[in-house]
Amino acid sequence: RIAGGKLLSDADMEQLFDEHVAKRDIDSSMRMRVQIQKVIEQVSEATSQANSEVTEYSRGLGEYQQRLKQETNRDALAGLVNSILGDTTRVREKTGDIRQNLEGSNQEVERLREELEMAQGLALMDPLTGLLNRRGFETHVRKLENDGLERCGMLTIDIDHFKAINDTHGHLLGDRVIAAVAQIVKTSVGDKGEVARLGGEEFSALLGGTFPSAAAELAERIRVSIEKGRIRRQDRDESIGGVTVSIGIAICLPGEKFEALMERADRALYLAKTQGRNRVILASGIRPSNSR
C-alpha cells in the first residue's frame, strides 16, 4: 500500500490488523486450546489410573484382612505380610509415577497460561508506545464497568498539528514524537489510571475516583511537560521542540455509561482545538484557571 503512494489511514491500519494480526491471535488461541485439551485428557487418564489402582489395592486389603483372621500357620502369615508389602510398594510406585505426571501437566498448563497471556497481551498493546491499544482500553473499561465508573475521569489527548510534524520532519521523527508524548502521559498518570493510544496521535487516560480540579491539574502538568520537551531523532542529529497537545476532560456523572463519558471528553477536546490548541478544557465548558 505504501508503495502505491497512499498514506495509511486509521481505517487502513485497522483493516490490516484484522487481516494479518488478529487472525494470528485466533490461530494461536486455537492451538493452545488444543494443547490444553490434551493436558486435560492426560490428567483425566492419570486420575482414572490412580482410581483403579487404589480401588484394586483396597479390594486386596479386604481379602488379606479376611485371610489373616482365618490363617494360623506362621509361614502362611509371613507370606500374607510379604504380599501386602509387595502390593503396597507397587501402589506407592504407581501413584508416584502418576504424581510426577500430574506435576508435569501442571507445569505444562502454567506454560500455556503464560503463552496465552502473552498472546492476548500483545493483541491488546500498541507496539510503538507500549500503551494499551483501543481494544485493550475497551477491555479494561469493561472490567471497570462491572464495579461502576463513579467519579472516574477521562482525559482525551491529541497532539497538535501532527500532520505538519510528519510532513516537515518525516514519519520516523513523527513516531518519536508519539512515543515521547506517550511516555510523558504514562509517567504523569502513574498509578492513578490507565493510559491508551486510541490511534494515530490520540491518547486517552481513564482516571479512577477523581475530582474535576485534580483531573485538570494533572492534565495541565501533562500539557506543560510536553510543551517544554524536545524530541531528538536517533538516526541523525535532528530534534524538534514546541510540540503541544490539546486535552479534553470529562468526569463521569452518576449512572453515566462509558460511551457518554468518552463523547463528552471528545467534545471538550474539540473545544480545546477550536479555541487555539495547546490547552485544557473541561467537558462542562469551564476552563481550569491554570489552563492557557
Side-chain angles (χ1 to χ4, degrees), residues 173 230-240:
L173 190 56
R230 290 192 67 83
I231 299 158
R232 181 176 297 276
R233 283 184 64 150
Q234 292 179 321
D235 57 336
R236 63 175 181 263
D237 188 20
E238 180 183 356
S239 64
I240 179 175

Side-chain angles (χ1 to χ4, degrees), residues 159-232:
I159 301 174
D160 296 327
H161 302 297
F162 184 72
K163 184 178 184 303
I165 294 173
N166 268 340
D167 291 344
T168 304
H169 302 280
H171 289 279
L172 285 179
L173 190 56
D175 285 349
R176 291 281 293 168
V177 169
I178 289 174
V181 169
Q183 185 59 44
I184 290 173
V185 175
K186 183 176 178 61
T187 301
S188 300
V189 172
D191 59 2
K192 299 182 185 70
E194 196 68 60
V195 181
R197 181 188 178 199
L198 299 186
E201 64 274 21
E202 185 176 340
F203 305 86
S204 272
L206 185 62
L207 311 176
T210 189
F211 294 96
S213 58
E217 182 180 347
L218 173 62
E220 182 64 14
R221 285 204 306 272
I222 292 172
R223 186 195 68 76
V224 171
S225 296
I226 293 170
E227 184 181 27
K228 289 182 176 179
R230 290 192 67 83
I231 299 158
R232 181 176 297 276

Side-chain angles (χ1 to χ4, degrees), residues 254-279:
E256 186 176 30
K257 297 295 185 181
F258 173 73
E259 290 77 10
L261 173 67
M262 194 165 191
E263 183 180 347
R264 291 196 298 115
D266 284 343
R267 286 204 302 266
L269 173 64
Y270 175 77
L271 286 176
K273 290 286 190 182
T274 57
Q275 292 181 18
R277 295 181 171 83
N278 189 22
R279 65 191 63 227

Side-chain angles (χ1 to χ4, degrees), residues 21-150:
V21 180
K23 183 179 183 300
R24 196 180 312 163
D25 295 337
I26 295 172
D27 292 342
S28 179
S29 297
M30 288 296 294
R31 177 176 55 81
M32 283 183 277
R33 186 176 300 157
V34 170
Q35 289 179 287
I36 290 173
Q37 182 61 39
K38 288 181 179 179
V39 172
I40 291 173
E41 291 172 357
Q42 292 170 0
V43 171
S44 178
E45 182 180 353
T47 304
S48 177
Q49 290 178 1
N51 183 60
S52 297
E53 289 291 337
V54 171
T55 299
E56 181 65 22
Y57 181 60
S58 178
R59 186 187 62 78
L61 287 179
E63 293 179 356
Y64 288 135
Q65 185 179 29
Q66 293 299 321
R67 291 173 62 184
L68 284 171
K69 290 179 180 179
Q70 299 170 1
E71 194 63 67
T72 57
N73 183 278
R74 181 174 180 178
D75 291 338
L77 287 172
L80 284 173
V81 170
N82 285 333
S83 296
I84 293 171
L85 290 175
D87 285 352
T88 302
T89 300
R90 178 179 58 79
V91 170
R92 183 187 297 119
E93 290 175 350
K94 188 65 177 178
T95 53
D97 292 341
I98 293 171
R99 185 179 67 250
Q100 289 181 351
N101 289 337
L102 291 175
E103 289 175 353
S105 297
N106 184 60
Q107 293 173 358
E108 177 68 5
V109 168
E110 182 65 19
R111 184 189 67 79
L112 290 171
R113 183 188 64 78
E114 292 176 355
E115 186 177 344
L116 182 59
E117 284 184 355
M118 179 175 293
Q120 290 175 334
L122 291 174
L124 301 178
M125 300 296 290
D126 172 55
L128 176 61
T129 63
L131 301 177
L132 292 176
N133 59 20
R134 182 179 290 274
R135 181 188 296 182
F137 192 57
E138 291 172 350
T139 300
H140 172 70
V141 169
R142 282 196 297 271
K143 292 178 182 177
L144 289 183
E145 281 185 317
N146 294 331
D147 300 324
L149 297 173
E150 191 73 22

